[in-house]
Amino acid sequence: MGKINSRMILPGRFITFEGIDGAGKSTHLKNFVQVLRMRLAPLGLQVIDTREPGGTPLGEKLRTLLLHETMHLETEALLMFAGRREHLTRVIEPALARGDWVVSDRFTDATFAYQGGGRGLSLDKLVTLETWVQGERQPDLTFLFDLAPEIAARRMARTRFPDKFERESIIFFARVRAEYLRRVSVAPERFVVIDATKSVEAIALQILDELDRSKIPAL
Ligand code: TYD
């Protein structure tokens, strides 16, 4: 099958990885992207491996500010969405329009979880920003790495230079986790919740299994 044919058949897909700091999502994201690339390359499709905050040159500058500068809670939320606007326009939407797949290390669920759940910003304000910046766009599939904050804290103790968020308390992360789980209860069809206490091998297998079983067209 030629390149052009496969692009006409398969729509681009948007997959996100989420979870509290220390849940291990970044390790799995790398493995997942590798497998996905192997599967999609024969179809002439690319996998865009990206992240938030970040994903564009401007977004990466905003990331440095967001992770290291103290700022008003609403400034923080607005900058998250400003970076997202840029990310959607320059990276995510063009890739999906080409039929390519996008895998993002965090997206809007993180803003609801951290700025909303963790810091207590009104969810209504976040919904307004979400609609403004994204319109109807939502990830097709979200892997949520779920873990008790006490366990995550023990794992993170190994991090040498924790950023602004990683220095937050267990109580903060308990609120972040609760908001992630509330998001799952509102849109269960979009999420796969992963028990992040399982072994790396078991989780890697579960992710691929879920991908095969998800409503995303078979590869
Ligand atoms: P993270 O994704 O954990 O990167 P790393 O693995 O390199 O530490 O770090 C990003 C941090 O940004 C994380 O603590 C969560 C936070 N964050 C928000 O508070 N709101 C958001 O909308 C996003 C995307 C991230």
Side-chain angles (χ1 to χ4, degrees), residues 28-38 47 49 103:
H28 288 287
L29 191 146
K30 281 196 202 83
N31 296 338
F32 177 72
V33 166
Q34 261 187 345
V35 173
L36 210 51
R37 283 204 171 118
M38 278 178 357
V47 180
D49 176 5
V103 180

Side-chain angles (χ1 to χ4, degrees), residues 95-162:
L96 297 176
R98 291 193 303 269
D100 290 332
W101 289 43
V102 177
V103 180
S104 186
D105 190 342
R106 301 193 184 280
F107 192 63
T108 303
D109 293 312
T111 318
F112 277 85
Y114 281 76
Q115 281 66 51
R119 299 225 198 280
L121 181 60
S122 134
L123 297 187
D124 286 347
K125 286 186 177 169
L126 294 177
V127 169
T128 304
L129 290 172
E130 180 184 33
T131 309
W132 178 14
V133 168
Q134 292 165 231
E136 296 290 298
R137 175 64 68 195
Q138 290 291 339
D140 297 298
L141 180 64
T142 298
F143 291 104
L144 173 62
F145 288 73
D146 185 51
L147 186 67
E150 293 80 4
I151 302 175
R154 255 179 268 140
R155 290 185 184 175
M156 270 196 299
R158 290 177 232 138
T159 310
R160 270 217 257 150
F161 302 109

